[in-house]
Amino acid sequence: MNAPHELASTAGAVEAKLSSALSTLPQSLTYPVPFQKSYSTTQPASGTTTVEIVVPAYNEERALPGCLRTLHARLQEELPFSWRITVADNASTDRTFEVAQELAAELPGVGAVRLGRKGKGLALRTVWGVSDADIVAYMDVDLSTGLSGFLPLIAPLASGHSDLAIGSRLAPGAQTQRGIQREFISRAYNSLIRFTHGTRFSDGQCGFKAARTEVVRPLLEATRDDGFFFDTELLILADYNGLRVHEVAVDWVEDLDSRVDVARTSLRNISGLWRMARLKASGGAAVPLPPRPAPIAEHPDAVLARERRGIATWEIGCFLAIGVASTAGHAVLYWLMRMWWSPLLANLVAQTVLTVINTEANRRLTFRGSLTGATRAHTGGIFLFAFSYLVTVGAVAAYRALASSPSRISEVFVLSIACCLVTIVRFVAMKFAVFTRRR
């Protein structure tokens, strides 16, 4: 399926810009090198999917030979696609680049490029951005992630099923060997990503990722980080723009000879998450991407629902389920607060808490196809909160004024009816005013 003209123009502009950036950097004549074919396939290299594996390296003269020889042997034996390996030396101060060149002369299909500035993100953005491979991938030089996961990483991209693929140390079935500190930091950081951005991937920092080149290039134009946050930034952009991300449970062993400053990297990552939140709120995270073909039924006699009807059914059903849960939660919280506070204060607290939860649940579930960010969603939720509060307070006040002997149970009943009416108004307002920006 061909992309529209404007998407093609954007992709061309991105490629030209990145090509120009690479041409200004000192590089070796060993990049690019011809694609190699695996022993496991008899197809010619020109007739298969091509894969470029980038190995970012900074002061890795000791680890690089073992990495490349091991990786090269495994690719020759197991990968049924044409491939090449590119070492991206990002401003090493030792003999890393010289070692990479020596290995490139020794191993067919291995190339090297040297960048003048330090940064893992810079290395990947530069090499991926000018690659002529169908699929681009990268892995850390220490090979902490088991190579048995590489073919499962590439396969869904080669078939066209997925847009990006990531190794995950936190997915069901993954096996890891690492210290308590790294384990705690990793789980806390990934929980923070999901909480602040509503993402669905489980591991944003595992150094084992791949992507279809035509899809990742527009994302590269929107990335800004040159360091370790690049991984998370790329995945947040992919998730925000509705791309299909495939996760592979991996085996992972911690290498204690690491160049990562965990404390400094953690602080930079938190700063990066805040920057991405502002980018999404401003609309700058929306990236023009090649369209994915609509799903089709495989069975020739399938009876299909119209697309818009299916979307409307999901939105209404999900919104009602969240509304019922919110109404029940509001009633329970109001009941508890009335033990200490007046009706007005109890309703204010209950309404505030449940409005925040309700808005976030609808953003992540009901209107999950919307590009509306958390800031816009909760700003709209504040106005709807004011409306809801006035309606519910008015309903309770009217009941207490008209009833001869008002009871707490009757108050809760009246409040629940008012909440149901407010729910209908909230759905209409959210659908046509708050969550209007669609993918």
Side-chain angles (χ1 to χ4, degrees), residues 100-118:
Q101 289 182 305
E102 293 167 3
L103 291 165
E106 172 189 338
L107 302 172
V110 174
V113 60
R114 178 172 174 83
L115 283 74
R117 289 192 291 121
K118 181 182 175 182

Side-chain angles (χ1 to χ4, degrees), residues 140-154:
D140 291 335
V141 71
D142 57 12
L143 297 184
S144 290
T145 306
L147 293 177
S148 59
F150 189 65
L151 181 55
L153 190 80
I154 297 300

Side-chain angles (χ1 to χ4, degrees), residues 83-284:
W83 54 269
R84 71 168 170 238
I85 303 170
T86 300
V87 178
D89 174 27
N90 45 319
S92 293
T93 57
D94 63 2
R95 293 190 66 256
T96 295
F97 186 56
E98 288 75 9
V99 171
Q101 289 182 305
E102 293 167 3
L103 291 165
E106 172 189 338
L107 302 172
V110 174
V113 60
R114 178 172 174 83
L115 283 74
R117 289 192 291 121
K118 181 182 175 182
K120 169 186 170 182
L122 174 66
L124 293 176
R125 182 164 55 244
T126 304
V127 181
W128 279 6
V130 297
S131 176
D132 59 346
D134 300 313
I135 297 170
V136 289
Y138 96 89
M139 61 186 65
D140 291 335
V141 71
D142 57 12
L143 297 184
S144 290
T145 306
L147 293 177
S148 59
F150 189 65
L151 181 55
L153 190 80
I154 297 300
L157 306 179
S159 69
H161 176 271
S162 300
D163 300 306
L164 282 82
I166 64 173
S168 174
R169 297 160 294 187
L170 302 177
Q175 299 183 86
T176 62
Q177 294 182 15
R178 56 180 171 179
I180 295 177
Q181 180 188 22
R182 290 286 293 269
E183 181 75 17
F184 173 78
I185 291 175
S186 175
R187 291 186 179 275
Y189 176 64
N190 283 287
S191 297
L192 181 63
I193 297 173
R194 291 192 294 274
F195 177 76
T196 55
H197 288 271
T199 53
R200 294 179 288 273
F201 54 85
S202 64
D203 190 349
Q205 288 294 87
C206 182
F208 200 69
K209 292 181 175 62
R212 291 195 295 119
T213 308
E214 66 170 344
V215 173
V216 80
R217 278 209 179 109
L219 296 182
L220 296 175
E221 178 71 4
T223 59
R224 295 292 178 268
D225 191 81
D226 287 342
F228 290 101
F229 184 71
F230 172 84
D231 294 61
T232 304
E233 182 179 29
L234 187 70
L235 288 177
I236 290 176
L237 287 170
D239 182 85
Y240 181 72
N241 286 280
L243 295 180
R244 185 175 289 171
V245 179
H246 177 73
E247 286 198 338
V248 177
V250 297
D251 300 326
W252 194 86
V253 179
E254 180 178 7
D255 186 346
L256 297 180
D257 183 23
S258 174
R259 302 292 182 268
V260 180
D261 185 330
V262 176
R264 180 180 298 179
T265 300
S266 298
L267 292 176
R268 288 179 176 175
N269 287 347
I270 293 173
S271 174
L273 291 176
W274 170 243
R275 176 174 58 80
M276 292 303 297
R278 289 187 284 114
L279 185 68
K280 290 163 67 175
S282 68

Side-chain angles (χ1 to χ4, degrees), residues 270-319:
I270 293 173
S271 174
L273 291 176
W274 170 243
R275 176 174 58 80
M276 292 303 297
R278 289 187 284 114
L279 185 68
K280 290 163 67 175
S282 68
V287 176
L289 294 165
R292 171 175 289 279
I296 59 173
E298 299 287 351
H299 196 287
D301 301 322
V303 179
L304 306 178
R306 287 182 297 179
E307 180 183 3
R308 294 306 304 173
R309 181 183 297 173
I311 294 175
T313 300
W314 165 262
E315 290 180 344
I316 293 173
C318 194
F319 188 87

Side-chain angles (χ1 to χ4, degrees), residues 356-377:
V356 173
I357 296 174
N358 181 285
T359 301
E360 188 63 17
N362 280 302
R363 184 176 77 86
R364 299 191 181 195
L365 298 175
T366 307
F367 304 103
R368 60 187 180 183
S370 173
L371 289 174
T372 299
T375 302
R376 176 185 169 92

Side-chain angles (χ1 to χ4, degrees), residues 319-381:
F319 188 87
L320 288 177
I322 294 172
V324 169
S326 298
T327 300
H330 188 181
V332 171
L333 194 56
Y334 177 81
W335 170 276
L336 294 174
M337 296 298 99
R338 279 289 284 122
M339 295 180 181
W340 303 284
W341 297 332
S342 66
L344 291 178
L345 183 57
N347 185 53
L348 176 62
V349 173
Q351 189 81 16
T352 301
V353 173
L354 269 300
T355 294
V356 173
I357 296 174
N358 181 285
T359 301
E360 188 63 17
N362 280 302
R363 184 176 77 86
R364 299 191 181 195
L365 298 175
T366 307
F367 304 103
R368 60 187 180 183
S370 173
L371 289 174
T372 299
T375 302
R376 176 185 169 92
H378 286 285
T379 300

